[in-house]
Amino acid sequence: HEMDTRDIQRIHGNLGNIYEQDNQLDSAMVHCLKAYEAGRLIEHGTTDYTAFVMEVIGNIHLKRKEFDNALEYYRKALPLFIKHNDIKEIICVNNSIATIYIQLKKMDSALFYANRAYDSRKLSTYIRGIQQTSALLAEVYKAMGLSDSVVKYLEISNTLKDSIYSQ
């Protein structure tokens, strides 16, 4: 029975992820909520895949500018990614939370989450995520008027971007 539930969760979760990336947010939400409900039946919703579904639901809310809802799902997903030592997703979720706080003009909170993502770089080969983190840090420091830090993180971001696109 559990294998069937896992299959249902993965099918809906994968469809939700595809629809979210294609900005078909209503379809994405329908599939993600089905995946989320299935995931709650598996290990009480504590699997790494359930965390991934929560992240996608957070992404949908972020794109809809429903920041409180996005934060709720990111905050549910983050401890599970930490539990499963999924550094790539830890970086992605911290970047998404930092993005929300930038949009809300809460630069101290944005800086906190962007720094959490940036600190994970030592444990990861996820160059795109660290490049995005560096760009977020530059944006936060620009809003705070700290031009030396803006230059530092823009240089890091641009160097990483060059390495991504030269591969």
Side-chain angles (χ1 to χ4, degrees):
H1 173 262
E2 193 166 329
M3 185 61 179
D4 294 337
T5 305
R6 286 182 193 274
D7 290 341
I8 290 167
Q9 183 191 31
R10 289 195 181 271
I11 289 167
H12 284 294
N14 289 340
L15 286 169
N17 184 45
I18 291 166
Y19 282 126
E20 183 265 322
Q21 291 187 15
D22 197 38
N23 289 315
Q24 296 182 43
L25 302 182
D26 291 341
S27 296
M29 187 62 83
V30 166
H31 287 286
C32 283
L33 290 175
K34 287 180 182 179
Y36 181 67
E37 286 305 312
R40 289 169 44 144
L41 302 174
I42 306 166
E43 297 174 34
H44 307 289
T46 61
T47 67
D48 56 340
Y49 197 80
T50 301
F52 169 73
V53 170
M54 287 188 266
E55 179 186 8
V56 176
I57 293 172
N59 294 344
I60 294 165
H61 286 298
L62 175 58
K63 287 181 176 182
R64 290 177 170 172
K65 300 199 181 308
E66 298 166 347
F67 299 132
D68 289 341
N69 291 334
L71 286 170
E72 175 187 344
Y73 281 95
Y74 291 144
R75 287 186 179 130
K76 288 180 186 177
L78 196 54
L80 295 176
F81 287 134
I82 292 168
K83 174 185 169 191
H84 295 284
N85 200 32
D86 191 334
I87 305 301
K88 176 183 178 281
E89 297 305 331
I90 291 168
I91 291 169
C92 289
V93 170
N94 278 307
N95 281 347
S96 295
I97 293 172
T99 298
I100 290 171
Y101 284 122
I102 288 169
Q103 293 190 28
L104 294 174
K105 309 274 190 255
K106 294 183 177 181
M107 294 306 158
D108 288 343
S109 296
L111 186 60
F112 175 81
Y113 285 97
N115 275 322
R116 280 179 64 176
Y118 194 74
D119 289 344
S120 299
R121 77 191 181 286
K122 302 167 193 136
L123 307 170
S124 177
T125 57
Y126 182 47
I127 296 171
R128 182 179 304 278
I130 299 303
Q131 182 273 320
Q132 292 167 342
T133 302
S134 301
L136 285 170
L137 284 165
E139 188 176 345
V140 171
Y141 284 123
K142 181 178 180 183
M144 297 173 102
L146 299 170
S147 55
D148 288 351
S149 295
V150 173
V151 171
K152 172 186 173 183
Y153 287 104
L154 276 180
E155 286 177 356
I156 293 169
S157 176
N158 290 335
T159 300
L160 292 173
K161 193 183 297 184
D162 290 345
S163 74
I164 291 168
Y165 292 110
S166 67
Q167 294 175 355

